[in-house]
Amino acid sequence: MTSNFSSGTINFSSGFAKNFQNDARRAEIRATVSALCVAAKQISHICARGPLESGLGDATGGANSDGDAQKALDVRSDEIVTAALETAPVAYYASEEQDDVVTLDASKPLAVASDPLDGSSNIDTNVSIGTIFSIYTAKKDALSSFLRVGSEQICAGFFVYGPQTTLVITAGAGTETYVLDPDTGNFELAIAHMKIAPASTEYAINASNHRHWEAPVRSYIEDCLAGADGPLGEKYNMRWVGSLVADANRILSRGGIFMYPGDDRKGYQEGRLRLLYEANPVAFVIEQAGGIATNGALRILGMSLESLHQRVPFVFGSERPVQMVASYHHKKSVKSDSSQLFNKRGLFR
Ligand code: AHG
Ligand code: MN
Ligand code: MN
């Protein structure tokens, strides 16, 4: 039996958003997440049809403000999410696929940022892709509702369109996974209180960029590659899907570390991922599951957003490897400070 894709319901757990004493706010969050579930079901349905839908992966000829060529499914997903949020208590919508904030209804209380289709390079390959979202309380105007620190998010999560269509979500009281039941068309709670393994020997990075990385990243990965005889004394494994949501979902389920560092390619000095609608929502979910999310050294959720599509180097996952990477960055800064210090004193000239 195929479910009805035009209406979506989610059977929230009793614990979902229980940290919000204000019933009205909890209802607003639930209504917005339910609307996003309707959008996700429509996008999931399109993905499931794949090549039967004409040209999902075709370039539209347009580019988003970050310079990425827009694919048909990017644009279609953005339209679907916009239409869904028009039915929710949402004043403002910021999207990877929109240059500026879209005002839906300025009288409404919430603001939503989204990457409507994450993993676009995988659209035609039948590899998991997804939708990422982040919910804030709306401020007096559109832009100021988003130019703030990620710790002000009240709810965030992502959908994965893969063998299952899942929703991984937090409202600040832990991270949960819901699965779309194809028989009923409802998202049902599958895992409450997710916990990321504190240690792991699995890392995710696009290794083809090795020559572009800065020294701490290169030495960390080289130490992983050195295996049990190397300085880390362990044999490591590597995974890289090319869809942030798929790598994040794997790390939540079995631990690991994800790294998209800055590198010396033009436009990549701050990495590839965007702080507002990729790093912040994933960081919120990861922290609520006991993991850590940084820019390599500093907490993502403490970083202030200066522009909507601002990129940020992004490292997240199991506590121990993320802290290890931070120590490599710290070592580098101590070394460079001391060498600068010595240079200043002319001791090593
Ligand atoms: P998007 O499709 O929304 O632009 O996101 C793609 C991102 C992220 O999902 C993934 O981790 C990363 O780009 C992959 O980058 P590379 O293709 O450079 O490996
Ligand atoms: Mn993305
Ligand atoms: Mn995208």
Side-chain angles (χ1 to χ4, degrees):
M1 181 186 98
T2 49
S3 63
N4 173 352
F5 289 95
S6 60
S7 68
T9 47
I10 172 169
N11 291 319
F12 289 106
S13 70
S14 55
F16 181 73
K18 70 173 188 305
N19 42 316
F20 288 91
Q21 303 313 323
N22 173 336
D23 291 348
R25 178 53 35 86
R26 197 160 55 241
E28 289 156 0
I29 293 172
R30 286 175 177 232
T32 303
V33 173
S34 297
L36 287 165
C37 287
V38 172
K41 285 177 63 177
Q42 293 168 40
I43 299 168
S44 169
H45 183 57
I46 295 168
C47 293
R49 286 179 46 80
L52 299 178
E53 293 275 339
S54 61
L56 294 179
D58 294 353
T60 61
N64 64 22
S65 52
D66 207 26
D68 292 341
Q70 283 179 316
K71 302 212 170 148
L73 188 57
D74 285 321
V75 175
R76 199 150 160 209
S77 301
D78 185 51
E79 290 162 354
I80 290 169
V81 171
T82 306
L85 292 178
E86 282 168 343
T87 70
V90 175
Y92 306 118
Y93 171 53
S95 165
E96 178 189 353
E97 307 308 333
Q98 301 281 347
D99 290 350
D100 305 306
V101 176
V102 176
T103 296
L104 302 178
D105 177 343
S107 69
K108 298 283 174 65
L110 301 184
V112 174
S114 179
D115 174 1
L117 204 286
D118 173 68
S120 306
S121 63
N122 286 324
I123 287 174
D124 286 331
T125 63
N126 197 20
V127 166
S128 298
I129 51 183
T131 298
I132 309 172
F133 64 91
S134 175
I135 305 176
Y136 295 88
T137 52
K139 286 196 172 174
K140 59 180 181 1
D141 69 65
L143 198 53
S144 66
S145 296
F146 297 103
L147 299 189
R148 58 214 282 193
V149 286
S151 55
E152 292 182 36
Q153 294 172 96
I154 58 173
C155 179
F158 55 85
F159 296 91
V160 183
Y161 313 119
Q164 313 126 38
T165 287
T166 57
L167 165 60
V168 181
I169 188 169
T170 183
T175 292
E176 300 176 327
T177 287
Y178 295 79
V179 175
L180 176 61
D181 182 338
D183 297 332
T184 65
N186 295 330
F187 282 88
E188 303 292 353
L189 179 68
I191 312 168
H193 307 301
M194 299 181 76
K195 284 284 165 263
I196 297 186
S200 167
T201 53
E202 189 162 75
Y203 64 89
I205 195 166
N206 183 335
S208 69
N209 296 323
H210 179 279
R211 64 190 179 286
H212 299 297
W213 297 333
E214 53 181 353
V217 175
R218 264 206 316 277
S219 39
Y220 175 71
I221 296 297
E222 285 160 5
D223 287 352
C224 291
L225 289 168
D229 303 335
L232 301 181
E234 303 241 33
K235 177 185 170 309
Y236 280 73
N237 189 37
M238 194 198 107
R239 287 285 182 273
W240 184 253
V241 181
S243 299
L244 169 61
V245 294
D247 283 315
N249 199 68
R250 184 193 59 257
I251 288 168
L252 277 157
S253 57
R254 70 182 192 210
I257 182 172
F258 174 101
M259 300 173 75
Y260 209 119
D263 66 48
D264 65 13
R265 288 175 292 167
K266 185 171 175 302
Y268 277 76
Q269 56 277 34
E270 295 304 316
R272 173 186 170 79
L273 299 173
R274 283 57 55 114
L275 180 56
L276 177 61
Y277 40 76
E278 289 172 313
N280 273 336
V282 171
F284 192 12
V285 162
I286 293 292
E287 283 198 359
Q288 286 290 314
I292 298 182
T294 71
N295 67 351
L298 303 174
R299 185 184 182 224
I300 286 288
L301 294 185
M303 305 184 77
S304 57
L305 193 82
E306 314 297 333
S307 67
L308 281 185
H309 304 285
Q310 171 182 333
R311 294 188 181 199
V312 67
F314 194 24
V315 177
F316 68 85
S318 297
E319 189 182 348
R320 233 161 293 153
V322 174
Q323 285 172 333
M324 174 73 75
V325 167
S327 71
Y328 278 63
H329 279 82
H330 179 65
K331 258 187 277 180
K332 178 215 171 190
S333 57
V334 168
K335 219 185 289 176
S336 63
D337 288 353
S338 55
S339 59
Q340 277 163 13
L341 182 63
F342 286 128
N343 285 344
K344 268 190 216 117
R345 284 192 204 142
L347 295 183
F348 285 83
R349 278 221 192 265

